Amino acid sequence: MKTIRIIMGCIALLLLCTTCDNKLDIVPKGKTTLENVTDLELLLNQEWELSTHPVSDLGIICNESLGQMLSIPDELSQSNTLNHAYLTYDEQADRAKLTNQDARYEAIYKYINYMNILLEKLPDATGDESRKAPLMAEARIFRAYFHWLLVNIYAQQYDAATAAEKGGIAYVSNPDVSEQKTKLSLEETYQCILQDCSDDIIEQLSDNNATNVFRADKAFGYAVRAKVLMQMKRYDEALPYALKALEQNSKLEDRSTIKETLSWSLPYDTPGNYVYMRGATRVAPCMETLSPETSQMFEAGDYVNNYDAAGGWSEMYGQMFAGISNCKLYMGWSTSANEYGINADRMCYTAAECYIRTGEIRKGLELVDRVRAKRVENYEPFVALYDQQALSEEEAMALLQKAKWIECISTYENFFDCKRWNSEEKYKRVITRNLGEYGTYSIGPDSPLWVLPFPANATRYNPSLTQNY
């Protein structure tokens, strides 16, 4: 057993190895040797790697997963760890003390700094003047999105009534890394995000970058604004942007082919990715162990669950690695789920929920069915249920939530959704995890565990970075 874990760990480590272009070397205090438009554009030519797979903490907290290759008996035998705190929903654990560093936090702010360097230097750079406006628009959109990821991981859920009093994050808008950045309120943070993904900025983006899943185009710009507004629970405002994103790119992954190939192959550069952002490696959900509760949520005709014989969701591997029954582990190495980015498939769910939340329930269910048709063999359309007897918002949301949960495995989406739904009376819920002989644990809607701690190597030098829980 230990030998298997060591082998898998070594493979993962090899996949982490990347090369860096020496053009991107940053000299002290945010200065850089990049002086012309072509060289500055290199700051956007990134394979966005956020270092930490979302299933390793966000997925555990919302009970999508039990992490990656974690042994439940081993993890529960060590009480003073983050894994123990998240697996047992221990609100008394000193998570700040246990978080000396956070690779994801550091990676996101590194990329924000790249965007700020580009925005500062591009106006005076030599080269093609016509390229400057679209490149600066890309940088602004990426800056908005990276801060949006941060605020939803390290701060509480946005609520208009309380956002001005709640803590947000440091919104970094200049490249001077020696300057202490002040943490803003949650309201101030979101206002900065909205300014960086405004209509004027989106319109300066290129129409279609489908051949380069690391660069922002209009589809990504519209999608970012839709995601931001939806997380603010401004569903009526988010809907038009989600629909505009789908007008730009509505290419959905077709998993029905798995019935013939017996393997789930999803390249990182699949055309439906607006922008691809990964965790530590390109392979996901490889080695993710689903919780017993998530393992029971697959629809009966799910193509991956039923036909992926090359390394699909396996209860045998789930029990082998996790040490408990009724959980499933994915062993395939040819799937690149878009862990931190945005794609057309999940944008359908964004638009669908906005339709449902604004009273156009049938239109919302049609969009959910558009994705389900490519996920579930002999699926029963949700619109057929609606046509038999009109469903309420709550009934339609129950259908969407279950289908979206499986769709969003191995991404940040389930965690973000839970935080948002937990702030709404109709949709908040207590999540319960059953680990068999190792106990049953629950997390409530208002638990501090929904907010991750700022790392100590950031708070140590910045007194404004007080924890948000």
Side-chain angles (χ1 to χ4, degrees):
M1 185 65 199
K2 289 183 178 178
T3 302
I4 294 175
R5 288 201 185 95
I6 291 170
I7 292 172
M8 293 301 180
C10 289
I11 294 172
L13 182 61
L14 287 172
L15 290 170
L16 280 170
C17 296
T18 58
T19 60
C20 299
D21 193 315
N22 59 13
K23 289 273 191 181
L24 300 183
D25 290 342
I26 307 302
V27 298
K29 297 189 178 181
K31 301 301 180 182
T32 171
T33 59
L34 306 178
E35 299 293 345
N36 62 67
V37 172
T38 301
D39 284 350
L40 283 164
E41 189 171 359
L42 292 172
L43 293 167
L44 292 168
N45 290 334
Q46 303 289 321
E47 179 168 351
W48 310 107
E49 178 197 337
L50 304 194
S51 299
T52 302
H53 291 295
V55 302
S56 63
D57 48 17
L58 308 184
I60 298 176
I61 295 168
C62 69
N63 199 34
E64 170 195 313
S65 78
L66 301 178
Q68 285 185 301
M69 297 189 295
L70 296 184
S71 164
I72 298 303
D74 289 350
E75 297 300 331
L76 297 194
S77 70
Q78 307 170 61
S79 60
N80 197 32
T81 68
L82 287 173
N83 283 341
H84 184 279
Y86 294 142
L87 286 167
T88 64
Y89 295 135
D90 182 4
E91 296 180 357
Q92 305 307 312
D94 191 344
R95 293 180 295 132
K97 186 176 181 180
L98 294 171
T99 309
N100 187 53
Q101 291 181 303
D102 183 332
R104 175 177 50 213
Y105 183 90
E106 294 170 8
I108 294 176
Y109 272 119
K110 176 187 73 174
Y111 291 134
I112 289 171
N113 191 52
Y114 284 4
M115 300 307 102
N116 287 331
I117 290 169
L118 188 149
L119 289 165
E120 181 183 74
K121 297 185 72 69
L122 200 55
D124 298 323
T126 59
D128 188 349
E129 290 292 324
S130 68
R131 294 289 299 142
K132 290 184 178 181
L135 291 177
M136 292 181 73
E138 273 195 79
R140 292 283 296 275
I141 291 293
F142 276 123
R143 187 169 72 181
Y145 187 65
F146 284 129
H147 281 103
W148 180 75
L149 290 175
L150 286 166
V151 79
N152 280 283
I153 296 172
Y154 301 99
Q156 295 185 38
Q157 166 60 35
Y158 180 93
D159 187 272
T162 59
E165 287 76 46
K166 289 184 177 179
I169 59 171
Y171 202 92
V172 181
S173 57
N174 71 69
D176 186 354
V177 296
S178 66
E179 175 186 288
Q180 182 173 294
K181 314 302 185 199
T182 301
K183 186 178 84 169
L184 304 180
S185 72
L186 197 54
E187 180 66 39
E188 291 169 330
T189 302
Y190 265 89
Q191 291 308 314
C192 289
I193 293 171
L194 288 172
Q195 289 171 17
D196 269 346
C197 61
S198 67
D199 290 344
D200 290 344
I201 292 170
I202 295 171
E203 286 306 311
Q204 295 178 60
L205 296 169
S206 65
D207 287 332
N208 195 325
N209 273 343
T211 58
N212 187 341
V213 296
F214 303 120
R215 297 293 294 271
D217 57 12
K218 281 191 174 70
F220 184 67
Y222 288 130
V224 168
R225 192 164 179 88
K227 301 284 278 184
V228 173
L229 289 168
M230 187 171 83
Q231 203 68 12
M232 298 174 78
K233 296 175 286 189
R234 290 159 57 172
Y235 301 107
D236 58 334
E237 297 177 60
L239 178 58
Y241 291 101
L243 296 177
K244 286 181 180 180
L246 289 169
E247 287 174 7
Q248 293 283 326
N249 185 342
S250 59
K251 298 179 179 70
L252 304 183
E253 176 201 0
D254 185 2
R255 296 183 191 169
S256 66
T257 59
I258 299 173
K259 187 175 181 180
E260 301 299 325
T261 64
L262 303 182
S263 175
W264 181 18
S265 178
L266 178 62
Y268 74 92
D269 58 354
T270 188
N273 279 338
Y274 296 165
V275 166
Y276 173 77
M277 294 185 182
R278 64 180 175 88
T281 68
R282 280 186 185 173
V283 286
C286 184
M287 309 311 295
E288 175 178 0
T289 305
L290 298 181
S291 69
E293 292 73 27
T294 296
S295 298
Q296 300 304 311
M297 292 178 69
F298 287 96
E299 292 194 56
D302 186 280
Y303 286 115
V304 177
N305 197 39
N306 290 355
Y307 293 112
D308 185 359
W313 295 111
S314 166
E315 288 192 9
M316 178 187 73
Y317 283 121
Q319 184 160 5
M320 180 187 300
F321 281 90
I324 63 170
S325 58
N326 302 317
C327 59
K328 295 183 176 184
L329 184 141
Y330 192 78
M331 287 289 289
W333 291 83
S334 59
T335 310
S336 298
N338 197 345
E339 295 171 282
Y340 290 103
I342 306 178
N343 63 17
D345 312 75
R346 303 204 303 264
M347 191 48 46
C348 281
Y349 277 96
T350 298
E353 181 172 353
C354 291
Y355 267 135
I356 292 170
R357 304 300 285 273
T358 55
E360 297 189 80
I361 293 173
R362 195 180 193 282
K363 286 185 178 180
L365 295 178
E366 284 177 344
L367 278 174
V368 175
D369 282 341
R370 188 188 300 180
V371 182
R372 290 177 66 238
K374 298 179 181 295
R375 302 292 186 267
V376 181
E377 186 177 24
N378 299 323
Y379 79 104
E380 181 180 5
F382 289 159
V383 292
L385 298 176
Y386 181 86
D387 291 341
Q388 291 171 15
Q389 182 177 356
L391 303 174
S392 67
E393 177 192 306
E394 289 86 345
E395 290 169 328
M397 280 294 294
L399 295 174
L400 176 145
Q401 286 172 319
K402 186 176 180 180
K404 186 180 182 184
W405 191 266
I406 295 298
E407 179 66 28
C408 296
I409 283 172
S410 214
T411 74
Y412 64 80
E413 301 263 7
N414 289 329
F415 177 84
F416 283 24
D417 280 347
C418 282
K419 288 184 72 166
R420 177 167 51 84
W421 293 331
N422 279 340
S423 71
E424 300 176 288
E425 200 61 41
K426 289 186 291 186
Y427 301 110
K428 64 172 55 176
R429 66 189 179 98
V430 173
I431 295 173
T432 299
R433 169 185 293 137
N434 185 348
L435 297 179
E437 64 181 286
Y438 299 101
T440 300
Y441 306 92
S442 297
I443 181 172
D446 300 319
S447 173
L449 296 171
W450 291 109
V451 179
L452 271 66
F454 293 125
N457 65 342
T459 60
R460 189 179 299 121
Y461 304 107
N462 189 342
S464 78
L465 283 181
T466 54
Q467 302 295 349
N468 285 322
Y469 53 84

